[in-house]
Amino acid sequence: VHGKVLPLVAAEAAGNRRLQEPRLFARPALQQIFKLRQALAPVARHLPRLRCAVERAPGGRVVSLLRHNEGMARLYPLVIGGELVSPEEEVSVCSPYSGDEVGRCGAATGHEVERALKAAAEARAPLAGLPAWRRSQALAELRGAVERNQDELALLMSEEAGKPIRDAQAEVRRGLLTLQTAAEEALRLPGTVENLDVAAGGEGRWAIQRRFPIGVIAGITPFNFPLNLVLHKLAPAIASGNPVTL
């Protein structure tokens, strides 16, 4: 909302296409929010700055109302070897639109990078030994988790990257498709069988080609699509039985 109430204007056109007098209206949910803001106005100067973001999904459903106080940004830890690790160094992530701090995350040190690579190397053999259905199942479960939290993820990306909420929601949908595709492809990693009788002496002989996990994958992802481009590295690596470090 950012301090302004923009009236929604609807106009009806007559038969001669001349616009009639506009009518102002607001959805009940937004009316309640505006009333709440008016009620808080007398004490607002005594409170930390409060920011609200309201977005509507198709059909008018209010999908999220995010509030946070300055100085209370959430810290996102590192994930090393499947465990949440408090970072040795932190970096502040600010919205390019408002300049507000969205959160804090770890800036991995050389020691933490080495620790992550060691954990990935130790996971190489167990992950390569997982049957295809287990890898597919893990990706399907990850897709379900993203789908259940899609509103929060979209709003977080909108704040972090400064992109319109619709673009962030579209990225989440693309991420869901990425995970779904990887889960399906994990069940049909390609291989070939070739007849070798194209040359003398090859009668009755066949060549079988199989694919095997290559090992630890190192992925580098840009800032502008922080969810889907991470999944572009993560999902295929898991589908093919490879550990990955981002």
Side-chain angles (χ1 to χ4, degrees), residues 169-212:
Q169 292 168 337
E171 181 177 347
V172 175
R173 292 193 295 270
R174 285 290 303 274
L176 292 173
L177 178 60
T178 299
L179 289 168
Q180 177 181 339
T181 302
E184 295 171 356
E185 290 301 321
L187 300 176
R188 51 173 181 255
L189 291 178
T192 60
V193 178
E194 300 179 10
N195 194 339
L196 297 182
D197 65 357
V198 295
E203 295 84 351
R205 297 177 182 273
W206 297 80
I208 300 176
Q209 180 193 70
R210 294 180 57 195
R211 294 183 180 271
F212 296 89

Side-chain angles (χ1 to χ4, degrees), residues 147-166:
E147 187 173 27
R148 289 190 298 272
N149 296 276
Q150 58 182 313
D151 294 338
E152 180 182 354
L153 289 169
L155 188 55
L156 183 60
M157 284 191 293
S158 178
E159 291 201 323
E160 176 185 342
K163 63 173 61 180
I165 189 66
R166 290 185 179 180

Side-chain angles (χ1 to χ4, degrees), residues 1-2 51-56 62-68 76 95-96 102-103 146 149-172 226-227:
V1 179
H2 296 296
R51 184 159 57 89
C52 298
V54 181
E55 299 296 342
R56 290 186 294 122
V62 176
V63 297
S64 57
L65 174 60
L66 177 67
R67 301 174 179 176
H68 68 267
Y76 294 85
S95 167
V102 177
V146 172
N149 296 276
Q150 58 182 313
D151 294 338
E152 180 182 354
L153 289 169
L155 188 55
L156 183 60
M157 284 191 293
S158 178
E159 291 201 323
E160 176 185 342
K163 63 173 61 180
I165 189 66
R166 290 185 179 180
D167 291 349
Q169 292 168 337
E171 181 177 347
V172 175
L227 176 64

Side-chain angles (χ1 to χ4, degrees), residues 111-131:
H111 169 71
E112 290 166 329
V113 171
E114 291 294 333
R115 182 179 172 185
L117 291 174
K118 181 180 179 182
E122 292 174 351
R124 178 178 180 180
L127 188 55
L130 284 179

